[in-house]
Amino acid sequence: MTDNSDHDICETRCVHESVVNDVRERMYPNGLLLDVAELFKVFSDHTRVRILHALSFSELCVCDLAIALDMTSSAVSHQLRVLRSAKIVKFRKEGKNVFYSLDDRHISSLMQAGIEHVQEG
Amino acid sequence: MTDNSDHDICETRCVHESVVNDVRERMYPNGLLLDVAELFKVFSDHTRVRILHALSFSELCVCDLAIALDMTSSAVSHQLRVLRSAKIVKFRKEGKNVFYSLDDRHISSLMQAGIEHVQEG
DNA sequence: CCGTCATTTGAACATGTATTCATATGTATA
DNA sequence: TATACATATGAATACATGTTCAAATGACGG
């Protein structure tokens, strides 16, 4: 059985204390890292990546996107909502249509970085 | 009822044909974009982001990571497995310990890009 | 106004996934 | 060899999430 002195989250004793302390001090706050995960989560879905990739060429309305990606407008719209809440796309209404485009040049380059990493394999 | 001529995936007719065709031609293949999504998926979890962030300072063994992040070794190990399969971390065995480190400078800069985006946000 | 169409929304369903717990593997040391 | 310990793994659970279907909203033209 384990002795009761260290029944904490990590029960082991292999710690390299100085290194761990150094890392703990230098780590960014948890909230920030959570936000980073949330940001990447937006890019972590096939449909959303395809939407963003398509929008990197041209602004498009929901129906255009649906056709370009062979999906229902509903599915596309649901994902656009996610992208909107993350402030990754912006939109402009024109009559019955709603045209979406990338919100930020930054986003495009993040995507591109991902694409290049995959291509280098 | 809808007429039977267009009971396809997108039933609507608002298409801006030339733009859509242009986009369809220029789009990268689906498989590539799927891989991109898979890559970002690895970065889309709080725990994994914290692990990668910690490893950006120093190589660490599983137990060090568990302590630095206040988690069980088991949970950390499970996530390290995900990172290993994605070839995002590499490891080195030394006695009872297994030391993990980032596999690639590229990874570190991708993470950094995400962090900067959030910080500017 | 009424009908059509583009888009949005909500609920339901199926699928994926992160953590926990228990257990297995493997390595050093007594 | 037996014990202790670092790590890995499998099953189970709980929770998140993507698509579909049905219906609502909102805008235009007749």
Side-chain angles (χ1 to χ4, degrees), chain B residues 12-14 41 45 47-48 71-72 74-75 78-79 95-96:
Chain B
T12 54
R13 221 164 276 95
C14 74
K41 191 170 293 180
D45 175 74
T47 296
R48 287 194 293 270
M71 299 185 57
T72 64
S74 179
H78 274 297
Q79 296 309 325
K96 284 189 279 192

Side-chain angles (χ1 to χ4, degrees), chain A residues 74-93:
Chain A
S74 178
V76 170
S77 182
H78 274 296
Q79 296 310 325
L80 284 170
R81 188 161 127 75
V82 175
L83 294 170
R84 256 183 303 158
S85 338
K87 298 201 195 307
I88 283 180
V89 299
K90 57 178 187 290
F91 61 97
R92 161 179 86 76
K93 301 190 180 183

